[in-house]
Amino acid sequence: MKRILLLLMVMIPILTIHAQAPMAGGEWKDNTGRHINAHGGCIINYKGTYCWYGENRSSGNTLYSSKGVSCYTSKDLQNWTNKGVVLPVSNDTCSDIQEGCIIERPKVVYNKKTKEFVMWFHLELRGMGYKSARAGVAVSDTPLGPFRFVRSGRINAGILPKDFIEADTTELRQRLSEPAFNTWWTSPWYRQIERGMFMVRDLQGGQMARDMTIFIDDDGKAYHIYASEDNLTLHIAELTDDYLRHTGLYVRVAMGEQNEAPTIFKKDGVYWMITSGCTGWAPNAARLFRAKNIMGPWERLSNPCRGDGANKTFGAQGAYIFKIRKTKEKKMFDGADYVFMADMWRPKKITDSRYLWIPIRFEDGKPTLRANLLNTYQSSKSN
Ligand code: DGJ
């Protein structure tokens, strides 16, 4: 009898961990019963296994608490197995990713030609706050790593965006030193920002790259989309065939409009991008863009969110959009083909930030995120 009681005492907590149905904003537990630590992440499907990569933040309540990039795997998008840190920060004080750096928004893609998994991420060097604004890249032969850090840096140094007129560069350079254009947020300043004053400022050293995502088009070409020019303007930059470098072809999008957290998908030949505004860790209204060509022009539409909390993206900020292929899994998302992965940030303890996965519905031909579908995925976990 004593033995049975003892066994029950050990088993009950284990069983309840898996029976729990976490709600939007609740804790999402992995196979060990711990809250999933994969923020600002992405999901790929490799040979029938979903791999969820994201920021691994230590439990200290500091923003400089990156431990690297975590990976969790799942066969059903519901039960997640912790595969550990697949790109750890380094002990080497000469490394760009030495402990104390900030690694954000990692995105992993598989390159069919090189058969390598390529990870891009936003990197801030140790001790520099958010001033470095670099992109980092790492590679691995397997989805579970360990990923090998390749390099980090700013983007496309010395290269002008597509369709930019050389003569404008000289003029904008002059504007940079004129006091009339040095006061932020004034109309004359905005005008010069739209024209590319900060792009020209950063031309020599390379363009700033913060919040980011990677998109692979139907023809296998990869694009790096990142918040640049002091988070004022997005850039979309083409990557080389091995996905490890930039080709030099890039465009500026939504000039001076302060977009962060870019997420993107393509449906029936149309590119859709959902971004956030720029309010630090606090949620704001999402923005929707549409284009027929990834290099633009991009058209800005209205907020894709509907219902309670729509003006704050339901308390979350986008991280990635992934496609669902199987009918069984589509059922978890109200039959949707695409899911908007978002983070509900808790800046006082980033590791404890929560997740929100929202099905993308098409209404009036446009992607829509509805408040009444916020718990579709979570409630299906209990079924
Ligand atoms: C908002 C970004 O989207 C996050 O990834 C992070 O960089 C915070 N800003 C930092 O304030």
Side-chain angles (χ1 to χ4, degrees):
M1 189 61 186
K2 251 188 183 173
R3 274 195 188 159
I4 293 173
L5 269 176
L6 211 64
L7 196 68
L8 279 174
M9 276 163 70
V10 173
M11 290 305 287
I12 284 170
I14 294 173
L15 291 173
T16 43
I17 283 166
H18 291 283
Q20 233 172 23
M23 300 299 283
E27 287 194 323
W28 289 15
K29 305 265 169 97
D30 68 8
N31 60 312
T32 67
R34 278 177 293 201
H35 180 51
I36 291 175
N37 194 349
H39 313 280
C42 71
I43 285 191
I44 62 166
N45 184 320
Y46 182 66
K47 297 192 172 167
T49 298
Y50 289 100
C51 305
W52 175 358
Y53 301 91
E55 299 161 21
N56 184 295
R57 302 287 197 147
S58 78
S59 50
N61 38 348
T62 158
L63 296 183
Y64 309 104
S65 57
S66 297
K67 289 288 159 208
V69 178
S70 320
C71 178
Y72 292 80
T73 59
S74 174
K75 286 278 181 198
D76 57 9
L77 275 178
Q78 293 199 337
N79 297 293
W80 293 97
T81 303
N82 187 350
K83 295 292 183 181
V85 177
V86 293
L87 175 72
V89 291
S90 169
N91 296 326
D92 178 354
T93 53
C94 295
S95 168
D96 288 357
I97 57 165
Q98 69 167 302
E99 200 166 352
C101 70
I102 306 174
I103 291 181
E104 287 185 353
R105 299 185 175 269
K107 302 290 171 268
V108 174
V109 286
Y110 179 64
N111 187 305
K112 285 186 188 156
K113 281 188 191 151
T114 60
K115 299 194 168 36
E116 277 186 326
F117 293 83
V118 180
M119 177 194 291
W120 282 92
F121 51 91
H122 165 201
L123 175 70
E124 296 294 346
L125 300 177
R126 179 193 167 113
M128 305 276 287
Y130 275 83
K131 286 200 185 105
S132 315
R134 288 184 178 210
V137 61
V139 287
S140 168
D141 294 338
T142 75
L144 301 183
F147 279 76
R148 177 177 59 82
F149 175 68
V150 179
R151 95 186 85 78
S152 82
R154 290 206 172 170
I155 315 291
N156 283 328
I159 302 175
L160 287 170
K162 185 174 173 274
D163 299 333
F164 203 83
I165 305 160
E166 189 67 42
D168 282 354
T169 321
T170 321
E171 201 203 317
L172 282 166
R173 213 176 284 289
Q174 281 165 9
R175 297 277 171 269
L176 268 171
S177 55
E178 288 172 26
F181 303 107
N182 273 339
T183 314
W184 283 50
W185 316 122
T186 62
S187 308
W189 174 87
Y190 257 120
R191 178 72 200 106
Q192 304 311 317
I193 289 300
E194 273 170 24
R195 293 184 61 211
M197 185 167 70
F198 281 3
M199 179 277 293
V200 167
R201 178 198 66 189
D202 296 334
L203 196 55
Q204 213 187 343
Q207 300 299 319
M208 298 174 90
R210 292 204 182 105
D211 278 15
M212 55 145 287
T213 194
I214 300 286
F215 175 70
I216 309 292
D217 212 336
D218 304 332
D219 59 3
K221 274 212 173 301
Y223 299 87
H224 180 197
I225 306 175
Y226 51 94
S228 195
E229 305 179 27
D230 274 308
N231 286 359
L232 289 158
T233 296
L234 287 172
H235 288 186
I236 301 185
E238 188 188 63
L239 296 180
T240 50
D241 286 350
D242 58 10
Y243 300 170
L244 295 177
R245 291 179 184 280
H246 294 81
T247 63
L249 176 70
Y250 72 104
V251 287
R252 302 174 65 232
V253 175
M255 280 88 97
E257 288 182 19
Q258 290 193 285
N259 285 280
E260 278 195 319
T263 63
I264 183 171
F265 71 106
K266 185 183 185 185
K267 189 176 186 309
D268 304 329
V270 178
Y271 300 85
W272 298 98
M273 184 158 63
I274 300 177
T275 67
S276 75
C278 216
T279 49
W281 300 103
N284 53 53
R287 291 119 179 247
L288 176 66
F289 296 84
R290 168 172 66 189
K292 290 206 175 113
N293 185 318
I294 188 142
M295 286 292 163
W298 284 86
E299 177 193 2
R300 183 162 165 183
L301 307 166
S302 54
N303 181 352
C305 300
R306 301 278 182 279
D308 281 356
N311 61 346
K312 292 274 164 70
T313 319
F314 317 113
Q317 184 187 33
Y320 195 69
I321 292 172
F322 66 88
K323 188 169 185 181
I324 312 175
R325 290 164 210 283
K326 290 191 208 142
T327 319
K328 197 174 138 223
E329 287 150 16
K330 282 185 190 177
K331 273 193 195 147
M332 280 187 258
F333 294 98
D334 194 49
D337 292 328
Y338 296 90
V339 174
F340 180 71
M341 279 174 86
D343 298 283
M344 304 176 94
W345 297 114
R346 294 194 169 188
K348 288 195 180 139
K349 199 174 176 193
I350 294 282
T351 187
D352 197 30
S353 299
R354 307 298 165 94
Y355 310 102
L356 194 56
W357 290 5
I358 317 170
I360 298 181
R361 277 174 60 145
F362 268 78
E363 292 179 20
D364 297 329
K366 291 183 209 122
T368 306
L369 306 171
R370 285 223 163 253
N372 64 331
L373 296 179
L374 295 189
N375 279 309
T376 326
Y377 167 64
Q378 292 88 339
S379 36
S380 71
K381 291 188 80 159
S382 55
N383 296 337

